[in-house]
Amino acid sequence: MAEKKPVKITETILRDAHQSLIATRMPTEEMLPILETMDQVGYYSVECWGGATFDASLRFLKEDPWERLRKLRDGFKNTKLQMLFRGQNILGYSHYSDDVVEYFVQKSLANGIDIIRIFDCLNDLRNLETAVKAANKEKGHAQVALSYTLGDAYTLEYWKETAKKIEEMGANSLCIKDMAGLLTPYKATELVQALKEGTDLPIDLHTHYTSGVAAMTYLKAVEAGCDIIDTAISPFSMGTAQPATEVMVETFKGTAYDSGLDQKILKKVADHFKPYREECLANGLLNPKVMGVNINTLLYQVPGGMLSNLVSQLAEMGAEDKFDEVLEEIPRVRKDFGEPPLVTPSSQIVGTQAVLNVVMGERYKMVNQQAKDLLAGKYGQTVKPFNKEVQKKAIGEEKPITCRPADLIEPSLEKFEKECAQWKTQEEDVLTYALFPQVAKEFFEYRQAQQTKIDPAMADKENGAYPV
C-alpha cells in the first residue's frame, strides 16, 4: 500500500449545510444535544459559525450569534471550531474599517473559534491582509480561501501564483472554495497538483454537490494530494450542500487515505438530524428544488445558496416563472461586471441585477446601490475589466477607485461604540451593531423585552438605561 496519508474531514452541518439547503434557519437548540457525540467523531474541524449564520441568527431566529458560539465551544472539548469570514466584509455585505475587522477577528477567537477561513468575493488579496494579520496576532489559524471559478483569466498559472502570494501573506492553510460545484474530477487533479507546486501549505477543498460531481471531485483531489475535504452529515448533504460525510469516509476506508472515522458514531450524528430534516421538508423550509442535480450550474456558475435566494426573491415578486430567464442572464451580468467569482456578496449583486434586468424587461434600467459600488471599484479589483458602457450607465461620471477600498474608510469602532451604548450588555454587541445596525437594534430591543419578561424586577432598573 502507498504511504499513509489519512484525509482530514471538516464537518459542515452546523454552518454551510443548513445555509445551503434551508437558508441558514437551523436554531441552536437543534445543535446542542448532539455536540458531545460529534466531539467524539475525530473531525479535523467543525464549521459552525460565520457565513450567513450571524445575520440569520439575529434576523430570523432571534438568537445572539455570540451566545451560540459560546455554547458550541462548551460542547466541543476536543474538536477545532471553524468559521467563514468574508475578508474586509467580515460577515456583512460591504467593507468595514480595519479596526472593526481586527476587533471582530479578536472576539471570534476569544469566544471559541480556532480556524478562520478568510475569503474575498473578487479574490482581491488586498482585502484579506487585515484579517490574516489579525488572526496571526491572536495565534489563530488563518486559512485563506480562493474563490474558485471559471473564465479566461482563471488559468492554472493564476491559481498557482495566487497560492504563492497567500503563503507569503502569512496564511496557515489554503482552501479551494468551490461554492458553485464547478470543479470537475480531472480538473481537481490538475488544480491540486498546481497548487502543491505553488505552495507548501495544507490544502482544503470545499465544494457543493449542485452539479452532481462533488464526491468524484473529492476522490481525485485527495489522490492528487488534497489534505482536507469539507463534508456534510447525510440528512443535510448533497443537493446544494456538500457530499455526505459517511459516503466519503467509506470511500477512503482501507486505502492510504483512510480517515479513520467511525461509521457507528457518524450514524448517531445522522440519526439526530433526520427528524429535523423531515420537519424542514414538511414545513417547506427544505425545498426539493435544491436537492437534485442541476447540471445548469456548470453553465451558469450559480452557487447553491444563491439558487435558493433567487427562488425566494422571485417568489416574493410573483415572478417564479422567470427563474430560467434569470439563470441565463446571470453569466451575461457576470461578464459585464469583470467576471468575478460568484460568492457572497458578488453572487447577490450579480443575481439581484440579473433579476432586475429580467423583471424590468430592460437591461440595467435599474441598477441597485451594491452593483454601482462594485462598478465603482468599492469592492476591490476584478480579474477582468468591467464593461465600460454598463459601468458608465451605472455610475455616470464618477471616477472609479483603484486603491484597496478599506484605505478610504476611517476607523469607525469608536463611532459604533457610541451609537449602540444604550443597548450594550456584552463587549461583542458593538460588532453585531457595526455589521447590521438595524437588525441588531431590533434584536437588542427583543432581547431586552425577553429579559424583562423573565425578571419583571429588572424592568424598573433598566427603564432608565435601556429605553424599550
Side-chain angles (χ1 to χ4, degrees), residues 436-460:
F436 304 107
Q438 195 49 45
V439 176
K441 187 169 165 287
E442 286 165 20
F443 171 74
F444 295 152
E445 286 169 351
Y446 166 82
R447 179 177 67 184
Q448 189 193 322
Q450 292 303 105
Q451 285 167 344
T452 308
K453 261 187 223 166
I454 294 162
D455 183 2
M458 285 172 70
D460 298 334

mmCIF file of all heavy atoms in Angstrom, residues 436-460:
data_model
loop_
_atom_site.group_PDB
_atom_site.id
_atom_site.type_symbol
_atom_site.label_atom_id
_atom_site.label_comp_id
_atom_site.label_asym_id
_atom_site.label_seq_id
_atom_site.Cartn_x
_atom_site.Cartn_y
_atom_site.Cartn_z
ATOM 1 N N PHE A 436 -24.731 44.963 11.304
ATOM 2 C CA PHE A 436 -26.149 45.035 10.907
ATOM 3 C C PHE A 436 -26.902 45.987 11.850
ATOM 4 O O PHE A 436 -27.664 45.539 12.711
ATOM 5 C CB PHE A 436 -26.787 43.628 10.978
ATOM 6 C CG PHE A 436 -26.070 42.606 10.154
ATOM 7 C CD1 PHE A 436 -25.286 41.624 10.758
ATOM 8 C CD2 PHE A 436 -26.160 42.607 8.770
ATOM 9 C CE1 PHE A 436 -24.612 40.675 9.997
ATOM 10 C CE2 PHE A 436 -25.488 41.660 8.005
ATOM 11 C CZ PHE A 436 -24.714 40.695 8.619
ATOM 12 N N PRO A 437 -26.699 47.304 11.697
ATOM 13 C CA PRO A 437 -27.249 48.251 12.683
ATOM 14 C C PRO A 437 -28.749 48.090 12.926
ATOM 15 O O PRO A 437 -29.191 47.991 14.065
ATOM 16 C CB PRO A 437 -26.936 49.624 12.077
ATOM 17 C CG PRO A 437 -25.848 49.382 11.103
ATOM 18 C CD PRO A 437 -25.958 47.975 10.639
ATOM 19 N N GLN A 438 -29.545 48.035 11.855
ATOM 20 C CA GLN A 438 -30.997 47.977 12.011
ATOM 21 C C GLN A 438 -31.450 46.653 12.622
ATOM 22 O O GLN A 438 -32.232 46.606 13.564
ATOM 23 C CB GLN A 438 -31.680 48.202 10.641
ATOM 24 C CG GLN A 438 -33.163 48.508 10.711
ATOM 25 C CD GLN A 438 -33.517 49.605 11.720
ATOM 26 O OE1 GLN A 438 -32.883 50.646 11.793
ATOM 27 N NE2 GLN A 438 -34.532 49.355 12.540
ATOM 28 N N VAL A 439 -30.916 45.564 12.096
ATOM 29 C CA VAL A 439 -31.270 44.224 12.587
ATOM 30 C C VAL A 439 -30.807 44.066 14.035
ATOM 31 O O VAL A 439 -31.517 43.510 14.873
ATOM 32 C CB VAL A 439 -30.617 43.127 11.695
ATOM 33 C CG1 VAL A 439 -30.885 41.737 12.233
ATOM 34 C CG2 VAL A 439 -31.145 43.236 10.267
ATOM 35 N N ALA A 440 -29.619 44.587 14.329
ATOM 36 C CA ALA A 440 -29.082 44.492 15.690
ATOM 37 C C ALA A 440 -29.966 45.250 16.666
ATOM 38 O O ALA A 440 -30.283 44.753 17.748
ATOM 39 C CB ALA A 440 -27.662 45.050 15.724
ATOM 40 N N LYS A 441 -30.385 46.451 16.278
ATOM 41 C CA LYS A 441 -31.224 47.274 17.150
ATOM 42 C C LYS A 441 -32.529 46.533 17.477
ATOM 43 O O LYS A 441 -32.950 46.446 18.627
ATOM 44 C CB LYS A 441 -31.516 48.595 16.428
ATOM 45 C CG LYS A 441 -32.230 49.627 17.248
ATOM 46 C CD LYS A 441 -32.206 50.960 16.504
ATOM 47 C CE LYS A 441 -33.189 51.957 17.061
ATOM 48 N NZ LYS A 441 -34.591 51.679 16.744
ATOM 49 N N GLU A 442 -33.134 45.946 16.448
ATOM 50 C CA GLU A 442 -34.370 45.177 16.673
ATOM 51 C C GLU A 442 -34.108 43.983 17.594
ATOM 52 O O GLU A 442 -34.901 43.669 18.474
ATOM 53 C CB GLU A 442 -34.947 44.687 15.335
ATOM 54 C CG GLU A 442 -35.606 45.802 14.534
ATOM 55 C CD GLU A 442 -35.848 45.427 13.071
ATOM 56 O OE1 GLU A 442 -35.862 44.217 12.763
ATOM 57 O OE2 GLU A 442 -36.016 46.351 12.253
ATOM 58 N N PHE A 443 -32.969 43.331 17.379
ATOM 59 C CA PHE A 443 -32.635 42.180 18.220
ATOM 60 C C PHE A 443 -32.389 42.621 19.665
ATOM 61 O O PHE A 443 -32.866 41.982 20.611
ATOM 62 C CB PHE A 443 -31.403 41.442 17.684
ATOM 63 C CG PHE A 443 -30.916 40.393 18.642
ATOM 64 C CD1 PHE A 443 -31.618 39.198 18.793
ATOM 65 C CD2 PHE A 443 -29.798 40.614 19.440
ATOM 66 C CE1 PHE A 443 -31.211 38.241 19.714
ATOM 67 C CE2 PHE A 443 -29.376 39.657 20.362
ATOM 68 C CZ PHE A 443 -30.087 38.470 20.494
ATOM 69 N N PHE A 444 -31.646 43.724 19.841
ATOM 70 C CA PHE A 444 -31.354 44.193 21.202
ATOM 71 C C PHE A 444 -32.655 44.536 21.938
ATOM 72 O O PHE A 444 -32.803 44.259 23.125
ATOM 73 C CB PHE A 444 -30.441 45.429 21.181
ATOM 74 C CG PHE A 444 -29.059 45.182 20.636
ATOM 75 C CD1 PHE A 444 -28.339 46.209 20.025
ATOM 76 C CD2 PHE A 444 -28.467 43.927 20.731
ATOM 77 C CE1 PHE A 444 -27.052 45.976 19.518
ATOM 78 C CE2 PHE A 444 -27.186 43.685 20.226
ATOM 79 C CZ PHE A 444 -26.478 44.726 19.623
ATOM 80 N N GLU A 445 -33.593 45.160 21.221
ATOM 81 C CA GLU A 445 -34.887 45.500 21.848
ATOM 82 C C GLU A 445 -35.650 44.231 22.213
ATOM 83 O O GLU A 445 -36.247 44.138 23.285
ATOM 84 C CB GLU A 445 -35.701 46.385 20.894
ATOM 85 C CG GLU A 445 -35.153 47.806 20.831
ATOM 86 C CD GLU A 445 -35.757 48.654 19.715
ATOM 87 O OE1 GLU A 445 -36.491 48.094 18.870
ATOM 88 O OE2 GLU A 445 -35.489 49.870 19.694
ATOM 89 N N TYR A 446 -35.599 43.251 21.314
ATOM 90 C CA TYR A 446 -36.256 41.962 21.580
ATOM 91 C C TYR A 446 -35.609 41.297 22.808
ATOM 92 O O TYR A 446 -36.298 40.815 23.707
ATOM 93 C CB TYR A 446 -36.119 41.054 20.356
ATOM 94 C CG TYR A 446 -36.457 39.602 20.608
ATOM 95 C CD1 TYR A 446 -37.783 39.169 20.594
ATOM 96 C CD2 TYR A 446 -35.451 38.670 20.889
ATOM 97 C CE1 TYR A 446 -38.096 37.836 20.836
ATOM 98 C CE2 TYR A 446 -35.759 37.348 21.140
ATOM 99 C CZ TYR A 446 -37.075 36.931 21.115
ATOM 100 O OH TYR A 446 -37.381 35.612 21.367
ATOM 101 N N ARG A 447 -34.285 41.296 22.834
ATOM 102 C CA ARG A 447 -33.550 40.663 23.951
ATOM 103 C C ARG A 447 -33.915 41.320 25.274
ATOM 104 O O ARG A 447 -34.144 40.646 26.284
ATOM 105 C CB ARG A 447 -32.042 40.792 23.689
ATOM 106 C CG ARG A 447 -31.167 40.196 24.779
ATOM 107 C CD ARG A 447 -29.687 40.290 24.406
ATOM 108 N NE ARG A 447 -29.203 41.664 24.357
ATOM 109 C CZ ARG A 447 -27.974 42.019 23.986
ATOM 110 N NH1 ARG A 447 -27.113 41.091 23.589
ATOM 111 N NH2 ARG A 447 -27.605 43.272 23.969
ATOM 112 N N GLN A 448 -33.994 42.639 25.249
ATOM 113 C CA GLN A 448 -34.317 43.378 26.468
ATOM 114 C C GLN A 448 -35.737 43.052 26.945
ATOM 115 O O GLN A 448 -35.977 42.849 28.123
ATOM 116 C CB GLN A 448 -34.187 44.864 26.173
ATOM 117 C CG GLN A 448 -34.285 45.723 27.399
ATOM 118 C CD GLN A 448 -34.473 47.168 27.005
ATOM 119 O OE1 GLN A 448 -33.875 47.618 26.036
ATOM 120 N NE2 GLN A 448 -35.301 47.877 27.717
ATOM 121 N N ALA A 449 -36.668 42.982 25.978
ATOM 122 C CA ALA A 449 -38.062 42.649 26.332
ATOM 123 C C ALA A 449 -38.140 41.246 26.936
ATOM 124 O O ALA A 449 -38.874 41.009 27.900
ATOM 125 C CB ALA A 449 -38.942 42.738 25.084
ATOM 126 N N GLN A 450 -37.356 40.315 26.383
ATOM 127 C CA GLN A 450 -37.344 38.943 26.907
ATOM 128 C C GLN A 450 -36.808 38.911 28.329
ATOM 129 O O GLN A 450 -37.348 38.236 29.193
ATOM 130 C CB GLN A 450 -36.465 38.033 26.020
ATOM 131 C CG GLN A 450 -37.012 37.785 24.638
ATOM 132 C CD GLN A 450 -38.414 37.176 24.661
ATOM 133 O OE1 GLN A 450 -39.417 37.834 24.399
ATOM 134 N NE2 GLN A 450 -38.484 35.911 25.033
ATOM 135 N N GLN A 451 -35.746 39.678 28.576
ATOM 136 C CA GLN A 451 -35.156 39.710 29.918
ATOM 137 C C GLN A 451 -36.143 40.300 30.924
ATOM 138 O O GLN A 451 -36.261 39.833 32.047
ATOM 139 C CB GLN A 451 -33.864 40.533 29.908
ATOM 140 C CG GLN A 451 -32.701 39.785 29.266
ATOM 141 C CD GLN A 451 -31.515 40.699 28.979
ATOM 142 O OE1 GLN A 451 -31.648 41.920 28.973
ATOM 143 N NE2 GLN A 451 -30.365 40.099 28.738
ATOM 144 N N THR A 452 -36.863 41.314 30.474
ATOM 145 C CA THR A 452 -37.849 41.951 31.349
ATOM 146 C C THR A 452 -38.967 40.974 31.692
ATOM 147 O O THR A 452 -39.441 40.916 32.807
ATOM 148 C CB THR A 452 -38.418 43.211 30.663
ATOM 149 O OG1 THR A 452 -37.326 44.026 30.255
ATOM 150 C CG2 THR A 452 -39.297 43.998 31.592
ATOM 151 N N LYS A 453 -39.371 40.164 30.696
ATOM 152 C CA LYS A 453 -40.417 39.144 30.919
ATOM 153 C C LYS A 453 -39.965 38.138 31.966
ATOM 154 O O LYS A 453 -40.716 37.741 32.849
ATOM 155 C CB LYS A 453 -40.689 38.384 29.618
ATOM 156 C CG LYS A 453 -41.910 38.869 28.860
ATOM 157 C CD LYS A 453 -42.162 37.936 27.697
ATOM 158 C CE LYS A 453 -42.512 38.752 26.460
ATOM 159 N NZ LYS A 453 -42.445 37.962 25.247
ATOM 160 N N ILE A 454 -38.695 37.733 31.864
ATOM 161 C CA ILE A 454 -38.178 36.707 32.774
ATOM 162 C C ILE A 454 -38.100 37.259 34.190
ATOM 163 O O ILE A 454 -38.411 36.598 35.155
ATOM 164 C CB ILE A 454 -36.770 36.226 32.306
ATOM 165 C CG1 ILE A 454 -36.912 35.502 30.959
ATOM 166 C CG2 ILE A 454 -36.112 35.306 33.315
ATOM 167 C CD1 ILE A 454 -35.627 35.351 30.190
ATOM 168 N N ASP A 455 -37.669 38.505 34.313
ATOM 169 C CA ASP A 455 -37.497 39.101 35.639
ATOM 170 C C ASP A 455 -38.111 40.498 35.661
ATOM 171 O O ASP A 455 -37.442 41.483 35.376
ATOM 172 C CB ASP A 455 -35.992 39.162 35.957
ATOM 173 C CG ASP A 455 -35.740 39.710 37.354
ATOM 174 O OD1 ASP A 455 -36.731 39.993 38.056
ATOM 175 O OD2 ASP A 455 -34.563 39.850 37.736
ATOM 176 N N PRO A 456 -39.417 40.587 36.016
ATOM 177 C CA PRO A 456 -40.086 41.896 35.989
ATOM 178 C C PRO A 456 -39.376 42.934 36.845
ATOM 179 O O PRO A 456 -39.417 44.123 36.573
ATOM 180 C CB PRO A 456 -41.487 41.595 36.543
ATOM 181 C CG PRO A 456 -41.661 40.112 36.384
ATOM 182 C CD PRO A 456 -40.301 39.505 36.466
ATOM 183 N N ALA A 457 -38.665 42.484 37.900
ATOM 184 C CA ALA A 457 -37.955 43.426 38.770
ATOM 185 C C ALA A 457 -36.893 44.198 38.003
ATOM 186 O O ALA A 457 -36.535 45.316 38.364
ATOM 187 C CB ALA A 457 -37.298 42.673 39.927
ATOM 188 N N MET A 458 -36.409 43.585 36.914
ATOM 189 C CA MET A 458 -35.372 44.252 36.111
ATOM 190 C C MET A 458 -35.932 45.444 35.346
ATOM 191 O O MET A 458 -35.208 46.349 34.978
ATOM 192 C CB MET A 458 -34.758 43.277 35.102
ATOM 193 C CG MET A 458 -33.816 42.277 35.718
ATOM 194 S SD MET A 458 -33.350 41.040 34.481
ATOM 195 C CE MET A 458 -32.311 42.021 33.393
ATOM 196 N N ALA A 459 -37.221 45.423 35.097
ATOM 197 C CA ALA A 459 -37.832 46.455 34.255
ATOM 198 C C ALA A 459 -37.558 47.846 34.809
ATOM 199 O O ALA A 459 -37.138 48.742 34.095
ATOM 200 C CB ALA A 459 -39.322 46.209 34.122
ATOM 201 N N ASP A 460 -37.769 48.002 36.139
ATOM 202 C CA ASP A 460 -37.570 49.319 36.727
ATOM 203 C C ASP A 460 -36.115 49.766 36.608
ATOM 204 O O ASP A 460 -35.815 50.876 36.241
ATOM 205 C CB ASP A 460 -37.964 49.300 38.219
ATOM 206 C CG ASP A 460 -39.434 48.963 38.364
ATOM 207 O OD1 ASP A 460 -40.167 49.240 37.397
ATOM 208 O OD2 ASP A 460 -39.834 48.421 39.415
#
